[in-house]
Amino acid sequence: MTDLPGGDAPDEDAPLLPERRTRRRRGASAPTAPGPVPPTDPTTAAFQAHVRSARSELENQVAHARAEFDQANERIKERTGRDLIVAIGIGLAIGAAVVLSVIFWKWIFVVFALGAAVLGVFEFGRALQGSGRRVDLVPQVVLGSVLVVSAWFLQMWLLWVVVFAAVAVTVVWRLVAQMVARDGRRYGDVLDDALVAGFLQLYVPFMAALCVVLLRQERGEFWVLAFLIVVVAADTGAYATGLMIGRHPMAPRISPKKTWEGFAGAAAASLIAGVLLAWLLLQLPVWTGLILGVIILGTATVGDLGESMIKRDLGIKDMSSWLPGHGGVLDRLDSILLSAPAALALYYLLTPLVTR
């Protein structure tokens, strides 16, 4: 036995240190030879190969379908100038929020109407400013907000007073602002600015206010939902039909992409939607659904073409780019705004015909 450096021999009975025990165990353990690999079951191997083949085939099909869908989306985007996927996603989200608010929380729909009116006034005012018009955005937005909120709290005759006051204030504000500016602006341009100031209040906030007035009526939430669905059906029918078979322009100088084939699709969709809504939702005779479909189709088409004419006059494609795939807020409201007073008039005319 070799002595330790300190001169003492190690004690045979002394407990081994952990390091030594570990080394002794490792030294005592003999290396183990790898055992034979069990043979693979032919059935299992065939099943695994089948799974791998099916997964590879599915991945190839998904990739092929995605490539075809992307190509179709690009062709639609080139033809319409819209991203179809983004437009559908945003449209569904907005539609779901509006439907839920109309049915369950009317005051939330009023908030939506107020926000839409404010954004519409703002982007329309900015577009007018970009074309050289003088628009006072602050009073326009403030008075437009007052107008929409008043429709929820005030009676109809008082709402007319608010409308008159809003138009008068915006016109006078513009004239006074021009007098203070003293920049030599021509009389004709000043008159146009004053007319635009009043028109802006009537076109966006007042129409939105009439939608709120309709919402306040007995079963008004169903009427709001009905005319919105007819507008969406007409817009969707026109878009799909025009995209597939549209050949003959409807108003090439105003909106070159609108076709008579698209209008026919819009008419069919709006009439079908009107009949179904009158029967299932509004509790009206079926024939009144044809009236609802025709009237809303007409106002929606005029509203769409009217806004297109305004944009062409301003030299712009969209009012803004706040809603990807749709353009601006006003680009989505053009058909709805003009349909709101028509829906309110139809409510007063057709409600006495409720069948149950």
Side-chain angles (χ1 to χ4, degrees):
M1 181 67 64
T2 306
D3 295 339
L4 295 177
D8 297 329
D11 188 0
E12 297 293 338
D13 297 329
L16 294 175
L17 295 177
E19 295 81 356
R20 293 183 179 180
R21 285 201 298 267
T22 303
R23 288 196 298 268
R24 180 169 293 182
R25 289 195 191 99
R26 290 176 179 174
S29 60
T32 304
V37 178
T40 303
D41 187 2
T43 304
T44 303
F47 176 75
Q48 293 176 351
H50 179 71
V51 170
R52 288 193 297 268
S53 176
R55 184 175 62 182
S56 177
E57 180 66 20
L58 178 62
E59 291 175 351
N60 291 334
Q61 291 180 359
V62 170
H64 180 68
R66 183 174 181 179
E68 289 185 344
F69 184 81
D70 290 340
Q71 292 176 2
N73 189 37
E74 287 298 325
R75 289 194 297 268
I76 293 174
K77 189 175 181 180
E78 291 177 0
R79 183 169 180 177
T80 64
R82 307 290 184 190
D83 192 323
L84 183 61
I85 304 302
V86 176
I88 291 176
I90 292 178
L92 290 176
I94 295 176
V98 169
V99 169
L100 292 176
S101 65
V102 167
I103 296 177
F104 297 106
W105 307 285
K106 289 185 178 182
W107 64 271
I108 295 184
F109 180 81
V110 177
V111 174
F112 282 144
L114 176 61
V118 168
L119 293 176
V121 168
F122 182 79
E123 68 180 13
F124 194 10
R126 290 295 299 270
L128 289 168
Q129 288 179 341
S131 67
R133 297 296 176 196
R134 301 290 176 86
V135 179
D136 307 296
L137 288 178
V138 173
Q140 289 283 354
V141 169
V142 172
L143 291 170
S145 302
V146 171
L147 187 53
V148 174
V149 174
S150 299
W152 181 250
F153 293 103
L154 301 181
Q155 298 180 4
M156 191 64 191
W157 70 273
L158 287 175
L159 179 62
W160 284 108
V161 174
V162 176
V163 172
F164 177 80
V167 173
V169 170
T170 52
V171 171
V172 172
W173 189 295
R174 175 84 300 269
L175 294 176
V176 172
Q178 182 59 45
M179 292 173 60
V180 173
R182 295 181 179 275
D183 55 358
R185 193 170 177 80
R186 296 184 303 173
Y187 174 79
D189 293 333
V190 174
L191 180 60
D192 289 343
D193 294 340
L195 293 176
V196 165
F199 172 75
L200 192 53
Q201 286 294 306
L202 293 175
Y203 179 48
V204 184
F206 178 56
M207 298 297 178
L210 291 180
C211 185
V212 175
V213 171
L214 178 59
L215 182 68
R216 289 178 52 189
Q217 309 304 314
E218 183 181 358
R219 293 181 55 82
E221 64 273 18
F222 298 111
W223 277 84
V224 171
L225 188 60
F227 98 81
L228 290 178
I229 291 176
V230 174
V231 169
V232 173
D235 189 40
T236 305
Y239 183 85
T241 309
L243 185 65
M244 291 187 296
I245 60 174
R247 295 294 182 273
H248 302 85
M250 182 178 179
R253 295 186 177 181
I254 299 176
S255 183
K257 294 180 180 179
K258 291 181 175 58
T259 62
W260 284 109
E261 291 83 359
F263 179 75
S270 61
L271 290 176
I272 294 173
V275 168
L276 293 176
L277 291 167
W279 175 37
L280 300 175
L281 184 64
L282 302 180
Q283 301 177 357
L284 292 171
V286 173
W287 60 268
T288 61
L290 297 175
I291 298 177
L292 176 65
V294 169
I295 297 297
I296 299 302
L297 170 66
T299 55
T301 303
V302 172
D304 192 4
L305 290 176
E307 201 240 2
S308 297
M309 186 167 56
I310 291 173
K311 291 188 294 186
R312 181 165 290 274
D313 183 65
L314 297 178
I316 57 177
K317 181 179 182 295
D318 295 319
M319 284 293 179
S320 71
S321 57
W322 292 350
L323 296 177
H326 293 272
V329 174
L330 202 57
D331 295 316
R332 294 299 89 199
L333 294 179
D334 52 5
S335 301
I336 295 174
L337 289 175
L338 207 61
S339 298
L344 182 60
L346 288 173
Y347 172 83
Y348 289 127
L349 291 173
L350 300 179
T351 297
L353 301 177
V354 172
T355 57
R356 60 184 184 275

